């Protein structure tokens, strides 16, 4: 884990491998950049006036061995146009710096971006955000399937100093929060990136037990027989044809008072989604190993919360199963009875997420929750609606929705609220059961949420559809660690209120 502290002294005098400084478009310097410019006889402003740094926020210019500077390297990061400077531009600048730090030949850096005022945001926010992005930028998946020789050589900055003017009070706590969030994201990414033959439901159970031991909280794992007794017919129907048995995992983090109602996080833990008998087409099917990203984000958020010892109670609930075809698999047309007693006609075995979640959501009632938030790579339709930029948010409580939206904005891990109107419910009609698990083509993300809403009437509830945000395809294929930033910001805010 990266080490981050506060820098002391004027930037141009600091002995470090890499000094990071911000500049606005068209050569307007930040205070730190001005000091560097003076120390280097105006060399920095000459380069900037010449247009060596692109105007777009997050563009970078790496300079080596500049006369007048003690630092070996100077990384100039564009902040975009001064009049347009915003928290988004700040995040882009910090993320670009993080990328350069991770690739650098040096191990120590001083980052002065934290000394730039961001409209409507505090110094704490700047420190926490920078720490999170810098530590997250150093994330590297230690792929168990890659032989040592073929792995990237170890490179990158390990020790970072952040410079700020004045004597901030809670700087250390803010830095700590950033680091803890990055650590939660790293766990979510690791779980997501692991292949389905390693990260199966039992692997989740072991991960939960280890976290419980490390941080001292209780973990329960329900086995098939336990779940049969509870009547979780919807959940168990999904994992039937897999050789990896289903698990229902509950992590009980208790940082709050004995009477404080817990916040329950429920994460979809389909460790691989073939679609079942309604088999998915083959193209990019490997990416269905990411169908456990909701669960991954719950593990990640719990780790952050435990690392920070937040004074709240949180239950992390993970229904884990593998959706496979086979002689014992559910068929389209099968009718199952959920734990709630409501019956479901399975018209498509590929709409399995809602089947495992509905029983977990009913099970959540027994914790007498303050609220329940489920997180799921639930629908391809959500990717069509919102792409990779926002997670879909649904809620039966406007205050809860507003809190989650604000956490998304504050972290840049954004969500967008979608309707949960009754008008959509009729799409779930079945001729043979209380409801079908299929809502048809129109508004597929909405009807999936409507399905879940039938199991969440007992408490305040929100649902995040993260199908578009949890992973990326292409050259950078991998887990993003989202929405750990959103979830942990929400929990940190709840702990503070
Ligand atoms: N895991 C998928 C949703 C998904 C799609 C996640 C693309 C990430 C990227 C989910 O289980 C699924 O298959 N949903 C179906 C539902 C349909 C059958 C109603 C879908 O979206 O096609
Ligand atoms: Mn599916
Ligand atoms: Zn799925």
């Amino acid at each position: 884990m990266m080490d981050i502290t506060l820098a002391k002294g004027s930037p141009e005098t600091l002995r470090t491998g890499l000094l990071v400084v911000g500049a606005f478009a068209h050569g307007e310097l930040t205070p730190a950049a001005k000091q560097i410019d003076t120390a280097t006889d105006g060399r920095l402003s000459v380069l900037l006036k010449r247009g060596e740094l692109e105007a777009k926020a997050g563009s970078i210019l790496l300079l080596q061995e500049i006369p007048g500077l003690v630092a070996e390297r100077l990384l100039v990061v564009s902040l975009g146009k001064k009049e347009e400077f915003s928290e988004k531009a700040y995040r882009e600048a910090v993320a670009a710096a993080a990328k350069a730090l991770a690739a650098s030949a040096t191990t120590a850096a001083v980052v002065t971006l934290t000394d730039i005022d961001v409209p409507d945001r505090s110094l704490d926010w700047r420190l926490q955000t920078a720490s999170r992005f810098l530590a997250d930028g150093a994330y590297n998946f230690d792929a168990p399937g890659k032989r040592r020789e073929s792995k990237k050589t170890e490179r990158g900055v390990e020790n970072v100093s952040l410079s700020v003017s004045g004597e901030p009070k809670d700087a250390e706590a803010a830095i700590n929060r950033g680091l803890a969030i990055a650590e939660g994201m790293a766990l979510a990414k690791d779980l997501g990136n692991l292949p389905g033959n390693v990260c199966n439901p039992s692997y989740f159970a072991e991960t939960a037990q280890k976290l419980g031991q490390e941080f001292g909280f209780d973990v329960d794992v329900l086995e098939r027989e336990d779940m049969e007794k509870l009547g979780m017919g919807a959940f168990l129907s999904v994992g039937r044809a897999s050789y990896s048995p289903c698990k229902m995992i509950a992590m009980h983090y208790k940082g709050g008072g004995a009477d404080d109602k817990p916040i329950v996080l429920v994460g979809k833990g389909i460790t691989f989604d073939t679609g079942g008998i309604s088999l998915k087409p083959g193209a990019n099917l490997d990416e269905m190993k990411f169908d456990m990203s909701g669960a991954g984000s719950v593990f990640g958020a719990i780790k952050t919360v435990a690392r920070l010892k937040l004074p709240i109670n949180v239950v992390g609930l993970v229904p884990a199963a593998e959706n496979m075809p086979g002689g014992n698999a559910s068929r389209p047309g099968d009718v199952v009875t959920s734990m709630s007693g409501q019956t479901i006609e399975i018209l498509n075995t590929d709409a399995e997420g809602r089947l495992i979640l509905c029983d977990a959501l009913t099970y959540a009632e027994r914790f007498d929750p303050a609220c329940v938030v489920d997180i799921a790579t639930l629908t391809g339709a959500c990717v069509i609606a919102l792409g990779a930029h926002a997670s879909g948010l649904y809620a039966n409580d406007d205050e809860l929705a507003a809190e989650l939206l604000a956490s998304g904005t504050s972290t840049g891990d954004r969500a967008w609220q979608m309707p949960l109107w009754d008008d959509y419910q009729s799409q779930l009609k079945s001729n043979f059961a209380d409801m079908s698990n299929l809502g048809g083509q129109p508004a597929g993300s909405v009807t999936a949420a409507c399905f879940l809403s039938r199991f969440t009437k007992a408490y305040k509830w929100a649902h995040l559809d993260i199908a578009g945000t949890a992973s990326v395809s292409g050259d950078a294929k991998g887990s993003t660690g989202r929405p750990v930033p959103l979830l942990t910001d929400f929990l940190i805010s709840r702990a503070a209120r």
Side-chain angles (χ1 to χ4, degrees):
M1 177 78 350
M2 187 176 265
D3 184 53
I4 305 184
T5 52
L6 282 189
K8 294 195 169 47
S10 207
E12 74 282 4
T13 64
L14 293 172
R15 187 164 301 284
T16 179
L18 178 65
L19 177 60
V20 181
V21 67
F24 292 102
H26 314 307
E28 191 165 341
L29 302 178
T30 57
K34 269 188 198 135
Q35 285 168 292
I36 289 162
D37 196 42
T38 312
T40 60
D41 257 341
R43 205 170 272 240
L44 181 56
S45 41
V46 168
L47 294 174
L48 294 176
K49 286 217 183 77
R50 210 159 74 185
E52 296 291 342
L53 180 66
E54 279 184 61
K56 194 177 178 304
S59 304
I60 58 167
L61 175 63
L62 182 61
L63 305 166
Q64 310 266 358
E65 309 292 347
I66 313 193
L69 265 196
V70 179
E72 292 165 358
R73 300 166 193 78
L74 178 67
L75 180 75
V76 193
V77 184
S78 176
L79 304 164
K81 290 191 186 135
K82 179 146 198 202
E83 58 284 7
E84 287 171 11
F85 188 60
S86 62
E87 57 172 277
K88 185 161 181 280
Y90 178 80
R91 271 192 297 264
E92 282 161 356
V94 172
K99 203 174 159 198
L101 259 63
S104 178
T106 183
T107 57
V110 173
V111 176
T112 64
L113 300 173
T114 36
D115 209 7
I116 304 162
D117 275 325
V118 178
D120 305 319
R121 294 293 180 193
S122 64
L123 171 57
D124 272 8
W125 180 91
R126 267 146 52 199
L127 289 168
Q128 178 182 320
T129 301
S131 303
R132 192 256 279 186
F133 275 92
L134 292 171
D136 179 50
Y139 172 81
N140 182 24
F141 180 55
D142 191 9
K146 275 197 178 173
R147 279 168 298 132
R148 187 164 285 281
E149 314 87 77
S150 66
K151 284 185 186 177
K152 276 196 294 187
T153 46
E154 293 288 323
R155 237 176 128 91
V157 169
E158 286 155 17
N159 295 294
V160 176
S161 308
L162 302 176
S163 67
V164 292
S165 350
E167 287 278 308
K169 271 206 323 279
D170 298 322
E172 207 177 310
I175 290 171
N176 230 342
R177 284 195 298 274
L179 287 172
I181 295 169
E183 200 178 330
M185 291 173 75
L187 175 57
K189 289 186 186 186
D190 279 347
L191 292 169
N193 290 332
L194 283 170
N197 64 336
V198 174
C199 184
N200 57 25
S202 302
Y203 188 89
F204 271 156
E206 287 160 26
T207 302
Q209 306 282 12
K210 277 193 198 141
L211 279 176
Q213 269 156 25
E214 184 180 353
F215 293 102
F217 57 73
D218 290 339
V219 174
D220 301 322
V221 178
L222 303 187
E223 305 292 337
R224 191 179 78 184
E225 306 79 64
D226 306 314
M227 295 187 275
E228 275 168 356
K229 280 187 202 127
L230 288 164
M232 295 185 175
F235 177 25
L236 291 172
S237 76
V238 173
R240 288 174 64 90
S242 172
Y243 287 99
S244 300
C246 299
K247 310 271 176 188
M248 177 73 81
I249 301 155
M251 295 171 277
H252 300 274
Y253 171 79
K254 294 195 177 88
D259 302 333
D260 291 354
K261 293 183 173 192
I263 296 167
V264 182
L265 303 178
V266 182
K268 173 179 172 181
I270 293 293
T271 60
F272 196 84
D273 183 12
T274 66
I277 294 301
S278 313
L279 193 65
K280 286 183 180 293
N284 303 318
L285 193 49
D286 64 295
E287 293 184 21
M288 280 302 130
K289 74 173 182 176
F290 298 123
D291 209 19
M292 38 50 69
S293 298
S297 74
V298 171
F299 282 110
I302 289 268
K303 186 168 189 186
T304 301
V305 164
R307 169 69 76 228
L308 293 174
K309 300 195 172 72
L310 291 185
I312 47 170
N313 296 332
V314 183
V315 178
L317 197 57
V318 171
E322 186 180 49
N323 187 20
M324 291 294 245
N328 192 31
S330 291
R331 295 147 283 257
D334 281 4
V335 174
V336 296
T337 304
S338 66
M339 184 181 173
S340 72
Q342 300 176 90
T343 59
I344 303 160
E345 184 187 11
I346 301 175
L347 281 180
N348 189 317
T349 64
D350 196 13
E352 85 296 339
R354 63 198 79 182
L355 296 174
I356 72 168
L357 288 169
C358 70
D359 282 340
L361 289 166
T362 301
Y363 188 68
E365 283 179 27
R366 68 183 49 208
F367 305 118
D368 189 20
C371 65
V372 177
V373 181
D374 80 71
I375 310 101
T377 47
L378 201 59
T379 65
C382 192
V383 190
I384 301 297
L386 298 174
H389 299 292
S391 302
L393 171 69
Y394 299 84
N396 66 10
D397 183 84
D398 287 339
E399 245 177 90
L400 178 59
E403 280 178 82
L404 292 164
L405 289 170
S407 289
T409 309
S410 170
T411 54
D413 181 7
R414 286 182 294 178
W416 186 259
Q417 191 168 3
M418 305 275 282
L420 200 57
W421 298 330
D422 277 345
D423 310 58
Y424 293 98
Q425 291 282 356
S426 59
Q427 288 178 235
L428 296 170
K429 265 212 297 263
S430 159
N431 285 353
F432 302 104
D434 295 336
M435 70 192 86
S436 124
N437 76 331
L438 194 62
Q441 277 267 13
S445 175
V446 181
T447 53
C450 284
F451 181 98
L452 299 179
S453 76
R454 298 176 178 218
F455 300 85
T456 60
K457 300 214 187 297
Y459 46 69
K460 292 178 181 173
W461 159 75
H463 157 62
L464 286 163
D465 193 332
I466 59 166
T469 52
S471 61
V472 289
S473 316
D475 279 351
K477 186 172 1 188
S479 169
T480 62
R482 291 179 69 184
V484 170
L486 183 158
L487 293 173
T488 50
D489 186 89
F490 166 67
L491 295 168
I492 290 167
S493 304
R494 278 285 174 121
R497 88 177 190 189

